[in-house]
Amino acid sequence: MLYNKGLLTQKAAAVMHELAVTESILEIALRHAREKNARRITGLYLVIGQWASIVDDSVQFYWDMISEGTIAQGASLHFRRVPVELACLDCGQNYQPSSEELVCPHCAGTRVQVRSGDELRLEAIDIE
Amino acid sequence: MPERIPVVEKILSANDRLALENQARFEVARVFAINIMASPGAGKTSLIEQTVRGLAGRLRVGMINGDIATSYDADRAQAAGATAVQINTGGACHLDAGMVRSALGQLNLADLDLVIVENVGNLVCPADFKLGTHQSLLVASIPEGDDKPYKYPGMYRGVDAVVINKIDLLPYVPFRMDFFKQGIEVLNPGVVQFELSCRTGEGLPAWLDWLERQVQTFKTA
Ligand SMILES: Nc1nc2c(ncn2[C@@H]2O[C@H](COP(=O)(O)OP(=O)(O)OP(=O)(O)O)[C@@H](O)[C@H]2O)c(=O)[nH]1
Ligand SMILES: [Mg+2]
Ligand SMILES: [Zn+2]
């Protein structure tokens, strides 16, 4: 009983995050469409890094719900996922870290710079 | 025929703007604010209790707590001597700048030196939502395991300090401190770290001194 309740809350909590993100996406898209006097928004192009903790399906789920009744209803969401890439400041090489190891696989260096992977932006929209 | 128009806007920019407004309110009142993030049960509230007690007579502390359902944590902070405000997160997994803004309406900043925000216990998303605090702190704890920096890199990257709590449990739980710290070092080179126990009090003075110094430096800046 208690266990189930915990699971439920956890799940509700996890999806809430994408709700806030999806609301922001809608707000930004509607604002830009209004500026162009668009009648409809038909597509949105999202850029999301692997380190931005976003589940595409959850965004899609909320999108269908909250875009209803707006000029963005029925617009398709295009997700572009950006892998994490680190640059080693010791040996100069770029690498994609694995889930167990973050240090540079070439020289075991720990001084790194994040080149990509934490993007969370709306890049473009299709309007009519 | 659809036309593609560029947008290039950060998705959470609305939250970022609100966070800047919160920060401005802290600035005007000369109140230093810190956002504490951690997994559930890592010891956020325990650290806040110890901090309020440890700084009693030195700093006036306010606490903003984001709890999914209860006010237990705000009550604990209040009992320890803080002025505490409970935010209703409506089940959300993180605090956002709007929630902090409404909490600020219930705090008299003029009577405070330091505001500690206890975020919702969660290692996934709170770091994405800026609140307008000056600094942020991640509380890790020994029983969570030493692989957390590797699993939740986003949380370790942006913080200004890391507290490793529950070191009294080191003899009982396998925890490779080197491995843990190596992960932190890659994600957040040179970040200030404190190893302590809210239970025994070991290591607390270094944390309290550091925090008090942050507040004083801020106030005299
Ligand atoms: N052994 C030990 N236990 C601790 C320590 N610090 C906190 N605890 C215990 O850990 C449990 C959780 O502590 P809290 O301070 O409530 O943790 P929290 O992060 O605020 O938890 P939530 O707000 O529920 O996410 C409590 O039972 C504390 O007594 C410590 O240093 N050592
Ligand atoms: Mg707590
Ligand atoms: Zn290298």
Side-chain angles (χ1 to χ4, degrees):
Chain A
M1 185 64 196
L2 257 180
Y3 181 62
N4 276 335
K5 186 159 168 269
L7 265 183
L8 253 180
T9 337
Q10 244 180 24
K11 210 165 160 206
V15 283
M16 283 304 290
H17 170 45
E18 274 84 359
L19 175 57
V21 166
T22 312
E23 284 170 342
S24 294
I25 294 170
L26 180 62
E27 182 269 319
I28 295 170
L30 290 177
R31 179 157 41 80
H32 283 264
R34 249 194 324 271
E35 279 166 17
K36 298 275 178 191
N37 290 315
R39 280 180 302 111
R40 246 160 61 79
I41 301 174
T42 56
L44 292 88
Y45 297 84
L46 300 161
V47 182
I48 299 179
Q50 286 310 344
W51 269 358
S53 34
I54 299 290
V55 179
D56 298 3
D57 284 351
S58 303
V59 174
Q60 184 69 58
F61 171 81
Y62 281 118
W63 176 256
D64 295 342
M65 232 165 68
I66 68 173
S67 65
E68 207 182 296
T70 73
I71 61 165
Q73 180 170 351
S76 23
L77 300 180
H78 306 273
F79 293 92
R80 181 156 69 82
R81 280 282 177 178
V82 185
V84 175
E85 190 170 85
L86 306 180
C88 176
L89 298 179
D90 290 327
C91 74
Q93 302 212 53
N94 292 349
Y95 64 98
Q96 298 190 355
S98 74
S99 49
E100 296 85 42
E101 203 45 271
L102 288 167
V103 304
C104 174
H106 308 292
C107 74
T110 59
R111 300 189 317 122
V112 306
Q113 201 175 14
V114 180
R115 294 180 56 89
S116 67
D118 49 12
E119 296 78 3
L120 186 55
R121 56 172 201 269
L122 178 59
E123 206 158 54
I125 56 177
D126 287 335
I127 54 171
E128 285 179 353
Chain B
M1 205 29 214
E3 175 198 357
R4 182 158 310 168
I5 60 167
V7 172
V8 197
E9 219 175 283
K10 282 171 69 190
I11 287 171
L12 296 177
S13 52
N15 184 73
D16 291 351
R17 277 194 297 274
L18 269 184
L20 282 176
E21 288 178 25
N22 290 344
Q23 179 149 6
R25 286 174 73 170
F26 288 126
E27 299 286 338
V28 168
R30 318 279 323 135
V31 172
F32 184 80
I34 188 163
N35 171 20
I36 301 193
M37 297 177 286
S39 62
K44 297 177 291 297
T45 311
S46 302
L47 184 67
I48 293 169
E49 290 174 308
Q50 292 285 13
T51 303
V52 172
R53 293 207 181 95
L55 295 176
R58 300 199 281 183
L59 295 178
R60 299 164 300 168
V61 187
M63 185 256 207
I64 297 175
N65 172 244
D67 196 295
I68 290 181
T70 72
S71 68
Y72 295 152
D73 290 357
D75 296 345
R76 282 167 62 188
Q78 187 101 32
T83 312
V85 176
Q86 162 77 22
I87 308 180
N88 184 357
T89 62
C93 49
H94 58 271
L95 292 184
D96 64 30
M99 298 175 195
V100 169
R101 179 164 74 170
S102 53
L104 285 180
Q106 300 171 55
L107 270 183
N108 188 3
L109 289 181
D111 290 343
L112 299 173
D113 303 302
L114 167 67
V115 166
I116 305 179
V117 182
E118 175 174 347
N119 216 308
V120 181
N122 177 355
L123 283 183
V124 182
C125 57
D128 292 341
F129 293 83
K130 296 196 181 73
L131 305 180
T133 54
H134 299 96
Q135 297 205 358
S136 54
L137 170 76
L138 190 109
V139 178
S141 66
I142 301 301
E144 288 167 52
D146 51 25
D147 57 358
K148 291 302 165 286
Y150 302 87
K151 287 191 174 158
Y152 303 100
M155 293 292 294
Y156 281 85
R157 278 190 54 211
V159 296
D160 301 285
V162 175
V163 159
I164 306 170
N165 186 29
K166 309 194 188 184
I167 56 168
D168 57 298
L169 297 179
L170 276 171
Y172 313 105
V173 186
F175 189 95
R176 294 160 296 175
M177 192 61 90
D178 294 354
F179 179 67
F180 181 82
K181 291 197 152 189
Q182 189 176 64
I184 298 183
E185 191 51 36
V186 172
L187 295 166
N188 198 335
V191 67
V192 204
Q193 299 174 33
F194 303 95
E195 296 173 35
L196 55 82
S197 165
C198 289
R199 177 115 191 246
T200 65
E202 187 185 348
L204 271 171
W207 152 254
L208 293 174
D209 290 346
W210 178 83
L211 183 59
E212 188 179 18
R213 225 167 30 245
Q214 301 307 302
V215 179
Q216 301 305 0
T217 309
F218 167 76
K219 281 187 167 283
T220 52

